[in-house]
Amino acid sequence: MPVPDGREISHPAQLADWTPTFPVAVKAQVAAGGRGLAGGVRKCTTGDEVNAATTALLNMSFGGERAGSVLVEQWLDIRRELYLSVVVDAAAGGYVVLYSPRGGVHVEDETQTRVRYDVGLPRNFRAYTFRDILSLVEPDRAVRERVVAIARRLLELCASRHCTTLELNPLVVLGDGQLVAADAKAVVDDAAQFKSEWIRDLLVQDIDGQPEDVQRCLRGGLSVVWLGGSVGLVSSGAGMTMAVMDELDAWGGRAACFLDVSGNPTPDGFALAIDLLAASPQVDAVLISIFGGGMHVDRVASTLLDVLSRKPVGKPVVIRLGGTGSEVATRLLERAGLFNHETLEDAVRDVVNVTGVAV
């Protein structure tokens, strides 16, 4: 894949043994979008300017994310900016190739010029089919041929590196007609980490940059986002967790966190979730809402009873376990003096108004 010559650095001192050919672009390295519009890319013509830009960008945040490094690379003689990406789309049964003859920071506004090629599996890619699609929006035949070749490589790269998105924006046309990937964004499938050391390394880097309690959750397979409320949620599945949050809001309550245990619905996972909420001074009450489809909630009930017996929460705990095994779960909880709410609405109403003795 044609890319500009450059070097990634995390401290200005790393420039001491390297003299690039000026001018250069200094780019903040972040996962957040909108970096260019937020001042995350700067043109520099001297070493002093590079040092100043590097220091400034490493102390800036973009979309809530602080830049951990910058990329210093050659400034390109750009004639045109294009957009090319490969993304996973269930409707296509695999991959889709997207192209627009107008790329750059305002690419979202170019929906009228964008075309798509539903490929599915990479082996289904046909150059002549994509070439015909490109001809609808791209008048330059030479550009079309180069885009076809790069799209094929992107598909192969997505499949081999387990990417769900690989976006070149902009893919630029230089003065000599060459196409270069001037900027790129990759989204990898976290679930593929068991067969990809590269993805495991990326996830470790992401975890190390998080607050300590978030690191504990991520290493334990849980997903947590702290919010501004006082009700600590323990739920399973992003959709179910958001539904609980909506219901909580409807009854006048506010969630203290978005905590999803579906990544590790084991005794260790639930113990970590309960321990986190018990230790948080922000949490006044805990709502455990699990709906079992494949998950048997009678097993969840047994796990919760074991966890709560070993380490009491010290705060009111409201439970709603529905779905597979819910009748058995209700009986197990009743024997321990706990109540299993039949509906989500009842559980949310109870946690908002609860004033009883802490579990």
Side-chain angles (χ1 to χ4, degrees):
M1 196 71 61
V3 298
D5 293 330
R7 178 182 292 191
E8 184 183 8
I9 62 173
S10 55
H11 193 278
Q14 293 175 280
L15 293 166
D17 63 343
W18 180 55
T19 302
T21 301
F22 293 102
V24 296
V26 181
K27 303 178 177 180
Q29 298 300 284
V30 290
R35 176 192 61 180
L37 290 174
V41 178
R42 303 190 180 186
K43 182 179 181 180
C44 299
T45 57
T46 67
D48 289 342
E49 289 182 3
V50 172
N51 277 317
T54 299
T55 300
L57 293 177
L58 289 176
N59 286 284
M60 293 176 63
S61 294
F62 303 88
E65 179 185 356
R66 198 180 184 94
S69 63
V70 298
L71 184 64
V72 182
E73 63 183 22
Q74 69 182 110
W75 191 265
L76 300 175
D77 173 25
I78 298 175
R79 190 176 75 194
R80 286 178 59 196
E81 292 186 339
L82 317 175
Y83 174 89
L84 180 65
S85 70
V86 172
V87 299
V88 171
D89 188 335
Y95 293 108
V96 170
V97 180
L98 301 174
Y99 175 79
S100 172
R102 299 174 187 170
V105 294
H106 297 293
V107 69
E108 289 84 2
D109 301 330
E110 300 296 336
T111 56
Q112 298 302 316
T113 62
R114 191 179 305 165
V115 292
R116 62 179 280 157
Y117 173 26
D118 290 14
V119 178
L121 297 177
R123 67 169 179 261
N124 295 334
F125 180 83
R126 298 293 182 268
Y128 60 85
T129 300
F130 189 39
R131 191 178 294 118
D132 289 344
I133 294 172
L134 290 175
S135 66
L136 300 175
V137 295
E138 177 52 65
D140 190 320
R141 181 178 179 278
V143 169
R144 291 201 300 268
E145 293 304 313
R146 292 183 174 93
V147 168
V148 168
I150 294 175
R152 187 191 297 274
R153 294 177 206 162
L154 287 182
L155 283 164
E156 295 169 352
L157 185 57
C158 272
S160 64
R161 288 301 187 107
H162 311 292
C163 295
T164 58
T165 299
L166 189 51
E167 177 183 82
L168 304 183
N169 183 37
L171 173 64
V172 300
V173 183
L174 301 184
D176 60 3
Q178 181 184 2
L179 266 61
V180 173
D183 214 338
K185 179 176 181 178
V187 179
V188 298
D189 183 1
D190 294 355
Q193 61 178 298
F194 74 95
K195 55 182 176 180
S196 172
E197 183 177 354
W198 176 66
I199 294 179
R200 287 197 298 273
D201 290 343
L202 287 176
L203 293 176
V204 168
Q205 292 174 25
D206 288 343
I207 291 173
D208 289 343
Q210 299 291 336
E212 184 176 350
D213 54 353
V214 177
Q215 288 188 38
R216 288 180 60 201
C217 283
L218 292 174
R219 291 194 172 97
L222 311 184
S223 299
V224 64
V225 178
W226 286 105
L227 305 170
S230 61
V231 178
L233 300 182
V234 178
S235 193
S236 180
M240 174 56 68
T241 309
M242 288 188 287
V244 177
M245 291 171 63
D246 287 344
E247 191 66 28
L248 190 62
D249 181 70
W251 284 95
R254 291 190 65 198
C257 62
F258 174 107
L259 181 52
D260 179 3
V261 298
S262 60
N264 185 14
T266 66
D268 288 342
F270 279 102
L272 175 57
I274 297 298
D275 184 58
L276 187 72
L277 298 182
S280 173
Q282 178 182 338
V283 175
D284 294 332
V286 175
L287 172 59
I288 302 172
S289 179
I290 307 292
F291 185 84
M295 181 189 300
H296 288 222
V297 293
D298 54 322
R299 299 175 186 172
V300 174
S302 297
T303 297
L304 290 175
L305 292 174
D306 179 57
V307 170
L308 294 174
S309 66
R310 286 187 285 110
K311 189 170 184 180
V313 179
K315 303 172 183 180
V317 175
V318 175
I319 301 173
R320 180 256 180 171
L321 304 179
T324 306
S326 60
E327 293 181 359
V328 176
T330 298
R331 291 196 294 271
L332 290 173
L333 292 172
E334 286 177 346
R335 290 171 191 165
L338 298 175
F339 180 69
N340 185 26
H341 291 75
E342 185 174 348
T343 67
L344 174 59
E345 293 80 1
D346 290 341
V348 169
R349 183 174 61 243
D350 192 11
V351 80
V352 170
N353 297 299
V354 67
T355 55
V357 179
V359 175

